[in-house]
Amino acid sequence: MLIYVNHDDMRSLQLMDDLTKKGYYVTDNLRDMKYADAIYLGCKGIDLKHCLHTHQDTIVIDDIGQMIKKGTFVFTLMHNDYMLKLANDYDFHYIALLDNKDFIRNNSILTAEGVISYLISHRRYPLYESHILVTGYGHCGKAIVDLLEGFHAEVTVAVRNQNLQDDIELKGCHYISLQDIDLIDTDILINTIPHVIIDENLLNRANRNIMIVDIASYPYGIDHHTALKLNLNSQILPSIPCRYAYGYASKMICDILEDVLLCD
């Protein structure tokens, strides 16, 4: 069985090694894609312009019907509606790993560990008793809050849904609405919401020593242009699992690929 892997980050490079050790024939040569029984296209796969992003450049795949044979299992990390349309048009099977609940949970844990690792290694002060604001309480937000609890930090969680208040407070955190955010006394801001909620007005009143970490996807949750203009420590940290724990991140992908292929 031949598996094509688009090498777009360290996670996918490790995946090639893991699959090879399991006895699969693995290639990252684009010319071999049309022979593959399974294909991992990386983070998002092929976009509306027929572009596939690799670790080196961007490849245009004009004739997708000739590149992916019928019945092939095609995987991406994130869900891509255009990939789903292509699957229907060209009769291949499309699977987005982040549609899998177990994968989401494990990926969130890796993301949370990566965030904690970054904070510890890039701050002059401990997390202990730091005033930390987490915006959003989805899978990643919950995992981050769970880890911060063990550091005895002063954690506040800002969300839009008031129904989450009891769960947040049961974890020993403070609940606030997104409309009530104030960064004057915040030491660390961790954003998980993929649309701008921390605007110029809030940043102008922020603690000048604040550390801002944004793990959301584009367009992010912070007005980073203003943050940089104000000389605030503002960082965007995309795809954390492939940077801080790519070995385990690869294993997660490998396990699902193998489960699907063995059940076929």
Side-chain angles (χ1 to χ4, degrees):
M1 180 176 288
L2 178 66
I3 300 177
Y4 171 84
V5 175
N6 173 30
H7 172 206
D8 64 343
D9 56 33
M10 290 297 296
R11 173 173 42 198
S12 54
L13 186 62
Q14 181 68 43
L15 176 62
M16 295 180 68
D17 189 46
D18 291 346
L19 289 169
T20 300
K21 288 178 179 177
K22 287 180 175 289
Y24 295 99
Y25 295 101
V26 184
T27 179
D28 61 354
N29 190 325
L30 190 67
R31 289 176 295 181
D32 296 329
M33 185 191 290
K34 60 185 176 182
Y35 305 113
D37 304 291
I39 296 171
Y40 174 69
L41 289 180
C43 187
K44 295 182 180 180
I46 301 168
D47 64 22
L48 285 167
K49 295 181 179 179
H50 291 189
C51 293
L52 177 66
H53 302 285
T54 73
H55 69 296
Q56 289 183 325
D57 51 23
T58 298
I59 300 168
V60 177
I61 302 177
D62 290 321
D63 195 349
I64 296 167
Q66 296 296 319
M67 295 296 293
I68 301 176
K69 66 182 183 182
K70 291 183 178 180
T72 300
F73 287 93
V74 180
F75 301 83
T76 63
L77 189 66
M78 300 175 66
H79 185 87
N80 182 337
D81 285 337
Y82 184 60
M83 286 296 307
L84 189 59
K85 178 182 182 303
L86 292 176
N88 291 328
D89 290 345
Y90 295 103
D91 197 22
F92 61 81
H93 306 288
Y94 172 57
I95 298 172
L97 298 172
L98 281 171
D99 287 343
N100 181 294
K101 291 183 179 179
D102 290 336
F103 191 93
I104 291 173
R105 184 187 67 250
N106 292 333
N107 194 69
S108 298
I109 292 170
L110 296 187
T111 299
E113 287 194 10
V115 169
I116 299 300
S117 173
Y118 181 86
L119 294 176
I120 291 174
S121 60
H122 288 80
R123 292 190 79 232
R124 295 176 293 166
Y125 303 99
L127 296 179
Y128 175 73
E129 293 188 343
S130 292
H131 293 270
I132 302 176
L133 174 63
V134 178
T135 52
Y137 198 61
H139 295 285
C140 288
K142 288 179 182 178
I144 291 168
V145 167
D146 287 343
L147 289 184
L148 287 173
E149 185 180 5
F151 288 92
H152 300 284
E154 294 288 333
V155 180
T156 298
V157 183
V159 293
R160 178 172 286 108
N161 186 355
Q162 190 175 357
N163 293 332
L164 297 171
Q165 181 172 355
D166 289 344
D167 186 34
I168 290 169
E169 292 181 345
L170 280 173
K171 292 188 176 181
C173 302
H174 305 290
Y175 158 88
I176 62 170
S177 169
L178 290 177
Q179 287 73 30
D180 297 328
I181 289 176
D182 192 327
L183 303 177
I184 293 174
D185 296 317
T186 302
D187 300 311
I188 301 169
L189 166 63
I190 303 169
N191 175 68
T192 69
I193 299 174
H195 58 264
V196 177
I197 55 170
I198 307 298
D199 57 18
E200 183 175 0
N201 184 45
L202 287 171
L203 292 170
N204 276 320
R205 302 200 314 271
N207 173 6
R208 294 299 95 180
N209 294 315
I210 192 172
M211 171 180 276
I212 299 172
V213 174
D214 195 339
I215 66 168
S217 55
Y218 183 83
Y220 316 114
I222 317 290
D223 181 352
H224 290 282
H225 177 74
T226 296
L228 292 174
K229 186 171 63 176
L230 294 172
N231 202 31
L232 298 176
N233 182 358
S234 176
Q235 303 294 329
I236 299 172
L237 300 182
S239 303
I240 292 176
C242 73
R243 299 169 60 188
Y244 288 92
Y246 60 85
Y248 190 79
S250 165
K251 180 181 181 301
M252 288 163 50
I253 299 171
C254 187
D255 288 347
I256 291 182
L257 261 68
E258 190 165 41
D259 286 346
V260 170
L261 295 176
L262 290 177
C263 290
D264 180 41

